Amino acid sequence: MKNPYVPESRASLAIISRDAPEAVKSGLREHIENIIETIPLVGVYKAISNHPDIAMLPVGYKKLVVAPSVYEYYKDKLEPFDFVVIKGAGEPGYKYPANIKYNAAILGNRVICSQDHLDEIAETELRSGDLQILNVRQGYSKCSLAIIGEAQGITSDVGLAASLREIGYDILLIEHGHIRLPGLNYGFIGGSMGLLSERELLIAGSLTHHPSWGIINEFLGKYNIKPIQLSQEQVIDIGTILTF
């Protein structure tokens, strides 16, 4: 299955947190025609209640498994664009790890997640696409991992980086923190990004404020990926910019 986090062509639709700063939304509109804002999940804490990577999981090309309480909203929004929207088995809970049912990253033919907490329907859909489950300790797998290609990513999680490097992925390890997440002490790099195309990376804010910006920029250059910084503010974790 082609990685749904890596668009085959330039994306024309994005799902973004309703809580994203207006400057980020405005920047995104310059690159993507159709933007769908999230609605909050009632059962999780406010800081992440509008994060796409908490409410839904891409399981194929224009195919999503979505938390039951917000299923109708996304079905109505996405079906006009020929999406397949599937109702998940369970609702994300308030505390970790109950809130990570739909928080999984995909690299190559592997789904990186905390398998015991992955939504059952999402897992079935992913396995039907011939993907293998890679069980890792970092439950916020998608939040923690910025996917920049089929086999490349960026994270500040030492254990996650080690696990992925061990099986052949090229993972850049950056300094922890320095990413805003209002209501919490810090956010994650994966939650602040999304690929616009195979060679363009959307960033919710400006990573020039991050102490690891130099090595991040060098890493992106290694794969000929252009960073598109959507505002001049410090980068913010908005639960991934999902692009299609």
Side-chain angles (χ1 to χ4, degrees), residues 27-167:
L28 185 61
R29 291 187 191 101
E30 294 180 14
H31 301 280
I32 291 188
E33 179 182 359
N34 303 294
I35 296 174
I36 293 170
E37 294 190 15
T38 57
I39 56 169
L41 284 166
V42 175
V44 303
Y45 53 90
K46 187 178 186 304
I48 62 169
S49 64
N50 270 301
H51 282 199
D53 57 22
I54 297 296
M56 65 192 76
L57 178 58
V59 294
Y61 176 67
K62 296 176 80 169
K63 187 177 184 182
L64 291 161
V65 177
V66 176
S69 65
V70 292
Y71 165 74
E72 292 295 339
Y73 172 81
Y74 292 108
K75 181 173 180 286
D76 289 346
K77 292 286 187 182
L78 292 167
E79 283 191 344
F81 296 98
D82 298 321
F83 276 71
V84 175
V85 184
I86 301 165
K87 185 186 290 188
E91 200 66 31
Y94 185 76
K95 292 183 178 180
Y96 179 89
N99 58 9
I100 59 171
K101 292 179 181 293
Y102 303 97
N103 201 268
I106 299 174
L107 284 180
N109 67 340
R110 291 181 174 90
V111 180
I112 298 105
C113 65
S114 176
Q115 185 175 359
D116 288 347
H117 304 102
L118 183 63
D119 181 80
E120 296 93 330
I121 289 175
E123 181 173 355
T124 298
E125 290 292 331
L126 290 163
R127 288 190 184 279
S128 72
D130 294 326
L131 294 175
Q132 302 171 18
I133 305 293
L134 176 64
N135 189 40
V136 295
R137 293 183 65 184
Q138 175 53 267
Y140 291 116
S141 304
K142 178 61 202 70
C143 298
S144 298
L145 183 67
I147 298 165
I148 66 161
E150 290 289 355
Q152 301 83 32
I154 304 170
T155 187
S156 64
D157 188 289
V158 175
L160 183 60
S163 297
L164 296 176
R165 286 170 172 173
E166 188 176 330
I167 54 176

Side-chain angles (χ1 to χ4, degrees), residues 166-180:
E166 188 176 330
I167 54 176
Y169 294 123
D170 191 4
I171 305 298
L172 177 68
L173 183 63
I174 63 170
E175 189 170 323
H176 189 65
H178 308 284
I179 294 171
R180 290 189 298 137

